Amino acid sequence: MRPIRVFLLGLALQLAAGKSFSQSSATADPFAITVSNEQKELLEGAAIEIINPATKKIVGSAVTNKNGVAVFYMALAEGFLVNAGFTGYTTQHTTINKTTLVNRKLTIILPVAAKILEDVNVTNTRNPFIQQVQGKVIVTVDASATNSGTTILEVLEKSPGVMVDKNGGISLQGKAGVLVLIDDKQTFLSGADLNNLLSGMSSSQVEQIELITSPSAKYDASGNAGIINIKTKKNKQVGFNGVFNTSLGQGRYPKNNNSLVLNYRNGKFNFFLTYSSNLNKGFTSIYALRRYYTSAGALALTLEEPTMFIGKNFSNTLKAGVDFYASPKTTIGIVLTGTTVDRKTTNDALASWKNTSGATDSSISTSGASMNEFQNGGINLNAKHTISKTQDFSADVDVLQYSIHNTQSFNSILQSAGGYSESTRGDLPSSINIFSAKADHHVQIGKQAKLESGYKVSNINTDNTAAYQLFDGTQWQEDLGKSNHFLYKESIHALYSSFEQKFSRVSFQLGVRYENTHYDGHQLGNSARKDSSFSKNYSGFFPSGYLSYQADSSNTFTLTAGRRIDRPPFQKLNPFVTIINKYTYERGNPFFLPQYSWNMELSHQFKQLLTTTISYSIITDYFSQLFLSEGTDILVYTNGNVGKMYNLGISVAIQASPAKWWSLSGQVIYNHKDLRGYQNVNYVSDVSQMNLSMNNQFRLGSVYAGEISGFYTTKARNDLQELLRPTGQLSVGISRPVFKKKATIKMNVRDIFFTQAMEGNTDFPGATEYFLLRRDTRVITLALTWRFGKPLKTARRSSGSAGDEIQRVGSGG
């Protein structure tokens, strides 16, 4: 009953807040503002402000949608000011006159910037760091000075509502199970492999990060917590333009990130290229204290194991492509992508076994080394055709290939008289081949309704080998008990349809997605292990939708609901063993089932100032990390389904400008989780946790811009048997334009107080473990951004019957 009482209390508070914020404005018809460039291309993500000239206060603000339109439901008057801005274009200021007031329409055309303007932190009408729009939170990466010199994974760690655990798992709004997209496309990776990809990409490649907690039916149904969509940069300006970024950072070890974005557009062709390279060195220290207990619950033994990892990482990422505007109605594109990550790590550990009195019985030192080579290549073909003023069709075909090769070696020495030396090495190559194709159809029904539908198919083939060897003192012998060869094939077919209707005050969307999944797994045997295989086929319908009510010009209430699925990552279905250290292994689970969730949200938005949300989720066959005992001293990490999880969430997000020189955004998220499942015994656990994040932007005079940002997370739980302790960080940054505003220099210090640690307690069968993990997170960085090039001056031309539909197909990124 407790979650229900809290839900009702939150609902009452939310309705009261809506009433207190409500204004006595009369019912107003929608007022639509469309933003495009001089080539009549509609600009998604343009920032719009409406200002009352009498009070000089902002009475409305919004961000344009994918059709370049922002709609305001508010009482307007002749003489109100409208500001519209977009990165790379000159900000335009206009006034609402009698004609636009009567027609309830306004079109603003943004010319390409004649000069390279100042950094986004210094201009009012540029996109803010955080934007709250229907169904998503948008993080503008370059708007934060403390993002300079970081990787994409590090930006995610400080994004509102996002947490990254010690195993690379990502959660959103307190819920695990997130689908990560790059330019609206799946990576098909998870865990350590996804971690390697995101930590190898520079944040300077990224324009925006979309945090989508309630995706519509057009998105894949995967992701219990929602979707994180990473939108990389691509300049659409006419002419030749480029941006170069470089940074040098120093933590305990040095770090260097570089990126180059080039664009040339003239006539019917648009060429683009993005390249980045990262060269970083860092450390990870792990302290683990494991206590073993007798069947009666008395302390039997203690294992204390401090471990230090020193790693070097060198990565390169390339994205290049061309768009061909074949006609005013048809665009065809091709995109090539590639990533290489070379990671070399050494580690040293000392495992000390202690008796009940705390005296050391024996100590074993272990030294190890690993090398991970990650390579990815992909090609995308995309096309978009405008059938008529009300219809368009788009199609995408993607072919991806991953090659991942990991080698590891360990040498353990018993530090006592008559001690022994034991050596193990492993060779773990894997390949992933992916084919994906989709087609989407969009119909505009009248002015306020649209129907979307589409089909998608994806095929995945993986080949994984784990070859382990033991050194017997004279030669290497195969360790057939741990060695493994695993083949996996998966096919997913999906159909969706979604209808959206908008009225003067009410808007709604209803959609449903159908997905069918079939997979086959085959574990090849050897002389010590039998051959085995498994298959599974399952289907499901995934409805979603929202209902939104515009109470007046300031207050909007929205209810969303949807059903989603999390499929086990195919790497987790592989039953092979990965050695973490002498006493800890990790193993896949071929009996891992998908988990399903129902998610509901009720939100209230007051202008762009305050957003409050109440959410509730029910997850069945809940994913959790499981811990098994093997022998007397070895613990095995695996994953499986443990039961149900109930999650009640309340969040409050604020965006404000306390002064002309100060703007802030902040979010507080409260979650109460109940986890109920079975793991050797019936488990019932619950936790109340809170995540706080804030970002302060300061204008320091006419030249400098400053930032103070940070986050804090109270105790938290994502797994049935693991409880995390509080963590957080505080970062500061400063920036200023140089070289006649053609460049920007930034300096920041991240995690000033070195508090971003991962600390917690784990319950094992017959044992408990305290752990503390620290990384090289306290870093001072100096970064330079240089913009160059000159746009071509083109004459304004008539758009024709379909000119306002011309825009680059989104699938190309």
Side-chain angles (χ1 to χ4, degrees):
M1 292 297 293
R2 180 183 174 190
I4 296 176
R5 290 198 301 269
V6 175
F7 180 87
L8 293 175
L9 176 61
L11 178 59
L13 290 173
Q14 190 176 47
L15 293 175
K19 184 177 180 180
S20 66
F21 281 127
S22 178
Q23 299 177 349
S24 58
S25 58
T27 302
D29 292 329
F31 187 92
I33 298 178
T34 302
V35 181
S36 68
N37 60 17
E38 292 176 315
Q39 285 70 49
K40 297 297 182 180
E41 292 178 323
L42 304 173
L43 299 179
E44 177 186 2
I48 298 176
E49 294 175 346
I50 299 179
I51 301 172
N52 186 333
T55 61
K56 296 183 179 180
K57 290 185 177 180
I58 298 174
V59 296
S61 61
V63 177
T64 55
N65 59 23
K66 67 178 182 180
N67 297 318
V69 179
V71 180
F72 296 84
Y73 296 90
M74 58 191 301
L76 298 172
E78 184 180 352
F80 274 35
L81 304 175
V82 179
N83 295 333
F86 191 74
T87 304
Y89 293 85
T90 301
T91 298
Q92 293 295 290
H93 313 279
T94 189
T95 303
I96 295 176
N97 56 35
K98 289 182 180 180
T99 302
T100 55
L101 194 61
V102 171
N103 295 333
R104 309 297 293 179
K105 290 182 179 180
L106 176 64
T107 299
I108 299 175
I109 297 175
L110 301 183
V112 173
K115 293 183 178 181
I116 301 301
L117 301 180
E118 296 181 39
D119 181 77
V120 293
N121 293 311
V122 197
T123 306
N124 278 337
T125 52
R126 299 292 183 86
N127 292 341
F129 175 59
I130 301 292
Q131 302 167 50
Q132 301 276 348
V133 297
Q134 173 62 48
K136 68 178 71 172
V137 175
I138 299 176
V139 179
T140 304
V141 176
D142 281 346
S144 173
T146 59
N147 286 337
S148 298
T150 61
T151 66
I152 292 178
L153 189 66
E154 289 170 331
V155 173
L156 285 178
E157 286 179 322
K158 61 194 285 289
S159 296
V162 178
M163 289 180 58
V164 181
D165 65 25
K166 61 180 173 53
N167 300 310
I170 300 173
S171 61
L172 179 62
Q173 302 288 332
K175 296 182 290 184
V178 178
L179 176 64
V180 176
L181 307 178
I182 298 179
D183 292 323
D184 300 306
K185 296 177 177 57
Q186 284 199 54
T187 63
F188 297 96
L189 299 176
S190 65
D193 293 332
L194 179 61
N195 192 294
N196 286 338
L197 176 65
L198 298 181
S199 62
M201 296 178 65
S202 171
S203 64
S204 58
Q205 296 175 255
V206 179
E207 184 77 33
Q208 293 178 333
I209 297 175
E210 298 177 339
L211 310 176
I212 309 172
T213 56
S214 301
S216 66
K218 74 175 182 179
Y219 290 101
D220 292 288
S222 299
N224 154 62
I227 291 172
I228 295 178
N229 189 18
I230 299 167
K231 308 277 283 188
T232 60
K233 291 178 178 176
K234 180 188 167 186
N235 199 332
K236 298 180 182 180
Q237 293 177 210
V238 175
F240 175 73
N241 298 276
V243 180
F244 172 71
N245 289 274
T246 185
S247 68
L248 292 173
Q250 182 66 50
R252 183 178 297 183
Y253 297 102
K255 304 158 199 314
N256 170 237
N257 292 346
N258 307 282
S259 71
L260 177 66
V261 179
L262 297 176
N263 175 81
Y264 177 73
R265 179 172 179 179
N266 193 14
K268 293 187 175 183
F269 289 93
N270 181 47
F271 300 90
F272 55 92
L273 180 147
T274 301
Y275 169 75
S276 75
S277 68
N278 296 346
L279 180 59
N280 298 324
K281 184 177 181 181
F283 76 89
T284 301
S285 67
I286 303 176
Y287 174 79
L289 184 64
R290 189 179 299 171
R291 294 181 174 92
Y292 295 84
Y293 298 91
T294 66
S295 58
L299 180 65
L301 287 171
T302 299
L303 173 62
E304 184 179 42
E305 188 171 19
T307 307
M308 176 62 76
F309 296 85
I310 306 295
K312 293 181 179 180
N313 178 75
F314 179 58
S315 63
N316 297 272
T317 303
L318 178 68
K319 176 181 177 181
V322 59
D323 294 321
F324 172 54
Y325 301 92
S327 73
K329 293 186 176 183
T330 304
T331 303
I332 302 171
I334 181 171
V335 184
L336 304 176
T337 58
T339 302
T340 65
V341 180
D342 292 321
R343 188 186 303 272
K344 297 179 181 179
T345 305
T346 60
N347 65 85
D348 292 288
L350 180 64
S352 300
W353 289 96
K354 299 183 179 182
N355 57 31
T356 54
S357 63
T360 300
D361 287 340
S362 62
S363 295
I364 298 175
S365 64
T366 301
S367 60
S370 65
M371 182 173 67
N372 184 282
E373 296 178 349
F374 178 100
Q375 296 178 346
N376 157 248
I379 181 171
N380 164 260
L381 300 175
N382 58 80
K384 183 173 183 178
H385 177 67
T386 301
I387 301 171
S388 67
K389 287 185 177 181
T390 59
Q391 292 190 65
D392 61 64
F393 174 84
S394 62
D396 284 84
V397 176
D398 288 274
V399 178
L400 295 169
Q401 183 177 49
Y402 292 92
S403 175
I404 305 169
H405 195 172
N406 183 30
T407 60
Q408 55 183 217
S409 61
F410 300 94
N411 182 49
S412 300
I413 300 174
L414 176 63
Q415 297 181 338
S416 63
Y420 63 84
S421 176
E422 182 180 88
S423 296
T424 302
R425 68 184 183 187
D427 186 21
L428 294 83
S430 64
S431 64
I432 307 172
N433 295 287
I434 300 164
F435 171 82
S436 177
K438 69 173 184 174
D440 300 279
H441 180 245
H442 169 269
V443 181
Q444 189 72 33
I445 305 172
K447 295 182 179 180
Q448 301 295 328
K450 65 179 179 180
L451 177 66
E452 294 178 312
S453 56
Y455 168 76
K456 180 179 178 180
V457 60
S458 61
N459 294 304
I460 303 170
N461 292 274
T462 73
D463 187 335
N464 304 268
T465 301
Y468 285 101
Q469 293 181 320
L470 288 171
F471 189 68
D472 62 6
T474 57
Q475 61 181 348
W476 290 97
Q477 301 284 346
E478 288 187 88
D479 187 352
L480 298 177
K482 296 187 183 69
S483 297
N484 179 285
H485 188 186
F486 180 69
L487 303 175
Y488 179 83
K489 294 181 179 181
E490 179 182 275
S491 178
I492 301 175
H493 295 263
L495 286 167
Y496 81 89
S497 184
S498 176
F499 177 77
E500 186 174 24
Q501 173 74 59
K502 295 183 179 180
F503 300 101
S504 60
R505 285 194 170 199
V506 176
S507 61
F508 70 89
Q509 183 185 68
L510 292 174
V512 64
R513 188 178 184 93
Y514 171 81
E515 293 190 350
N516 170 262
T517 305
H518 178 84
Y519 65 77
D520 299 294
H522 184 195
Q523 180 179 251
L524 281 68
N526 55 42
S527 58
R529 185 190 301 273
K530 292 183 178 180
D531 186 276
S532 63
S533 62
F534 55 88
S535 298
K536 190 171 183 63
N537 187 87
Y538 55 92
S539 302
F541 287 94
F542 302 93
S544 62
Y546 78 82
L547 175 65
S548 183
Y549 172 65
Q550 182 91 25
D552 53 38
S553 61
S554 301
N555 297 279
T556 303
F557 294 87
T558 303
L559 176 67
T560 63
R563 182 175 187 252
R564 301 192 64 76
I565 183 176
D566 276 312
R567 298 176 180 84
F570 43 83
Q571 301 95 325
K572 299 292 185 181
L573 292 168
N574 186 348
F576 79 97
V577 171
T578 300
I579 299 175
I580 299 175
N581 58 47
K582 181 176 174 60
Y583 300 106
T584 311
Y585 298 164
E586 184 174 7
R587 184 166 56 210
N589 178 8
F591 305 105
F592 207 176
L593 300 174
Q595 69 176 10
Y596 296 89
S597 65
W598 274 101
N599 302 315
M600 292 156 280
E601 286 187 359
L602 175 63
S603 66
H604 164 250
Q605 185 169 0
F606 175 69
K607 298 183 178 180
Q608 280 284 326
L609 175 66
L610 182 68
T611 303
T612 56
T613 302
I614 301 174
S615 63
Y616 190 68
S617 300
I618 301 174
I619 306 173
T620 56
D621 289 326
Y622 179 66
F623 287 178
S624 182
Q625 197 170 54
L626 305 177
F627 308 97
L628 311 173
S629 294
E630 201 166 273
T632 58
D633 53 7
I634 293 177
L635 290 175
V636 178
Y637 288 74
T638 187
N639 289 269
N641 310 93
V642 296
K644 292 186 177 181
M645 195 268 280
Y646 306 87
N647 188 327
L648 172 67
I650 300 175
S651 68
V652 179
I654 187 171
Q655 290 178 268
S657 296
K660 291 183 179 180
W661 49 269
W662 177 20
S663 63
L664 68 88
S665 61
Q667 186 174 46
V668 180
I669 302 170
Y670 167 84
N671 292 97
H672 179 80
K673 299 180 181 180
D674 282 316
L675 296 91
R676 303 172 188 178
Y678 179 82
Q679 171 57 18
N680 298 316
V681 296
N682 287 316
Y683 273 91
V684 177
S685 63
D686 69 316
V687 66
S688 293
Q689 64 187 60
M690 189 173 293
N691 175 268
L692 301 90
S693 61
M694 64 89 180
N695 180 278
N696 294 272
Q697 303 280 337
F698 305 99
R699 187 181 303 176
L700 309 175
S702 60
V703 176
Y704 289 93
E707 177 189 335
I708 300 176
S709 64
F711 70 88
Y712 176 77
T713 302
T714 64
K715 66 178 181 179
R717 184 188 295 274
N718 283 330
D719 292 304
L720 192 65
Q721 297 167 260
E722 186 171 273
L723 182 66
L724 303 175
R725 297 189 180 185
T727 186
Q729 65 146 263
L730 183 69
S731 302
V732 298
I734 190 170
S735 65
R736 65 154 296 165
V738 293
F739 304 138
K740 297 181 180 181
K741 299 181 181 179
K742 292 184 178 180
T744 303
I745 190 168
K746 301 178 183 180
M747 186 177 71
N748 65 61
V749 183
R750 302 195 307 276
D751 194 14
I752 297 174
F753 302 109
F754 199 46
T755 52
Q756 190 181 348
M758 298 182 188
E759 185 179 17
N761 295 279
T762 305
D763 293 324
F764 299 98
T768 62
E769 182 177 270
Y770 163 80
F771 62 86
L772 174 62
L773 183 150
R774 292 188 181 277
R775 296 174 297 151
D776 199 4
T777 55
R778 180 162 55 189
V779 180
I780 182 171
T781 301
L782 183 65
L784 174 70
T785 299
W786 175 46
R787 304 169 184 85
F788 56 90
K790 186 176 182 180
L792 295 176
K793 293 185 178 180
T794 57
R796 186 175 299 177
R797 63 179 185 270
S798 171
S799 60
S801 62
D804 58 355
E805 301 291 332
I806 300 173
Q807 54 181 326
R808 201 192 73 77
V809 58
S811 61

